[in-house]
Amino acid sequence: MLYRTLHNNSLLAFILVPFILLLFWVRVFLYDGSAPISFDGVSMPLWEWLVRPVFGQSNFWAAAFSYILALLTAFTVNRLVGRHGLLGRQSVLPAVLYGLLVSGFLVVQRLHVVWMFNLFFLLAVERIMGIVNKGRKEGRSFDAALLLGVGALMYAKGLYLYPLLLVVMGGLRLLTLRTFLASLMGLLLPFVLSAGYFFFFGKTMEFLVFILFNLLSNTGQFSHNLASRIYLLLISLPTLIGIVNVFRYLPTQKIITRKLFRVIVWLTLLTAGACLTPFFSVELAPVVAVGPSIVLAFWLDKISRRFWQETILLLFFAIAIAAQLYL
């Protein structure tokens, strides 16, 4: 019943997505910690000027903003899937699964810079994928990298994820010298304009120091316990099964759909691998969850028996609820 309700694009299904996500965000609103923003450290100027003064002074408003960003990201994932026909039918299932995947760790749910960056990053990926239908390869490559650059003005380590944009372009056979240079110009433009602003006020070195500190700083590795390891295992195994299922059905898909799924699988594996490096920790979860939410939705869509579809979706809800209680 739950799967049937969510695996369509009815008005009820769209209404349920914000409600479900809000239920999993309750503990963020009730959190009474001393700092509204998690993974706090040396922040980029744009974050300090635009976000912290408005949302960084209150636990409630910080929780509300992180909830809105998570909801916008979930619906962006859903729009990307629907626009490119990656499921057998229009559905809000990818949005729901994304919400479940990012609801495990409280420290991830709370407001932090990656939420803001992730929305820009996802819009950049969507912009690149739109080339297959709209053309304008150089223009869209520039636009996508510009979006990533704006996001990196809040989360400087987002620059480390720029190669992922090139992976998307390469997977779609769009990476040429001209598109690469266009994307590089788009990536650097926000930083050039910011440097010009700081130069005008005689604070160029301050801006460079901010970037350097953010690129080299460690946000603090999450100390995993037995519960968190079990949770990650319960998420990783279905994702791997979903990836195998994607490759199983690839020969039956259109050529462009095959390319898109290969890109999504690469994004899933590379973003998960990035969490194993010293530069990132669980704060990257909003970025990592994008690929698995699409892969898992595709897997559920291809299961032939309704009983197993309902059961597996309920298990995902059960895993998310258990994570809420023990993590």
Side-chain angles (χ1 to χ4, degrees), residues 127-142:
R127 189 72 177 164
I128 291 293
M129 289 184 173
I131 294 177
V132 299
N133 297 323
K134 300 294 182 64
R136 293 183 60 245
K137 293 189 294 185
E138 290 80 8
R140 282 182 170 259
S141 299
F142 176 88

Side-chain angles (χ1 to χ4, degrees), residues 309-325:
Q309 291 174 324
E310 296 281 357
T311 302
I312 293 173
L313 183 58
L314 286 172
L315 282 175
F316 284 132
F317 272 89
I319 292 171
I321 293 171
Q324 292 267 311
L325 296 176

Side-chain angles (χ1 to χ4, degrees), residues 151-215:
L153 284 180
M154 295 193 179
Y155 181 58
K157 286 186 179 180
L159 291 173
Y160 293 140
L161 301 181
Y162 169 63
L164 294 181
L165 208 61
L166 300 181
V167 169
V168 175
M169 295 166 64
L172 295 177
R173 304 293 190 270
L174 302 171
L175 186 59
T176 64
L177 180 60
R178 294 178 64 179
T179 56
F180 169 71
L181 291 177
S183 69
L184 189 61
M185 290 172 59
L187 179 70
L188 295 177
L189 181 60
F191 288 88
V192 171
L193 294 177
S194 299
Y197 173 84
F198 278 87
F199 176 78
F200 181 79
F201 291 99
K203 296 182 178 181
T204 305
M205 287 304 299
E206 179 181 340
F207 179 63
L208 295 177
V209 168
F210 266 115
I211 294 176
L212 185 62
F213 279 179
N214 275 269
L215 290 176

Side-chain angles (χ1 to χ4, degrees), residues 60-231:
F60 174 82
W61 288 113
F65 192 44
S66 70
Y67 167 74
I68 291 171
L69 290 174
L71 188 61
L72 288 174
T73 305
F75 276 123
T76 303
V77 171
N78 205 81
R79 182 179 63 195
L80 188 150
V81 172
R83 180 170 293 174
H84 296 285
L86 300 182
L87 291 184
R89 57 188 296 185
Q90 296 294 318
S91 168
V92 299
L93 193 59
V96 173
L97 288 170
Y98 181 84
L100 295 179
L101 291 175
V102 297
S103 298
F105 297 99
L106 174 63
V107 71
V108 171
Q109 289 179 280
R110 292 171 57 210
L111 182 61
H112 59 92
V113 290
V114 182
W115 278 117
M116 203 74 177
F117 168 81
N118 185 46
L119 185 58
F120 283 100
F121 175 74
L122 187 56
L123 290 172
V125 171
E126 185 182 32
R127 189 72 177 164
I128 291 293
M129 289 184 173
I131 294 177
V132 299
N133 297 323
K134 300 294 182 64
R136 293 183 60 245
K137 293 189 294 185
E138 290 80 8
R140 282 182 170 259
S141 299
F142 176 88
D143 295 343
L146 179 66
L147 287 167
L148 191 145
V150 172
L153 284 180
M154 295 193 179
Y155 181 58
K157 286 186 179 180
L159 291 173
Y160 293 140
L161 301 181
Y162 169 63
L164 294 181
L165 208 61
L166 300 181
V167 169
V168 175
M169 295 166 64
L172 295 177
R173 304 293 190 270
L174 302 171
L175 186 59
T176 64
L177 180 60
R178 294 178 64 179
T179 56
F180 169 71
L181 291 177
S183 69
L184 189 61
M185 290 172 59
L187 179 70
L188 295 177
L189 181 60
F191 288 88
V192 171
L193 294 177
S194 299
Y197 173 84
F198 278 87
F199 176 78
F200 181 79
F201 291 99
K203 296 182 178 181
T204 305
M205 287 304 299
E206 179 181 340
F207 179 63
L208 295 177
V209 168
F210 266 115
I211 294 176
L212 185 62
F213 279 179
N214 275 269
L215 290 176
L216 300 180
S217 65
N218 191 330
T219 54
Q221 297 297 308
F222 183 81
S223 298
H224 288 281
N225 53 26
L226 179 61
S228 65
R229 291 188 177 95
I230 293 174
Y231 169 73

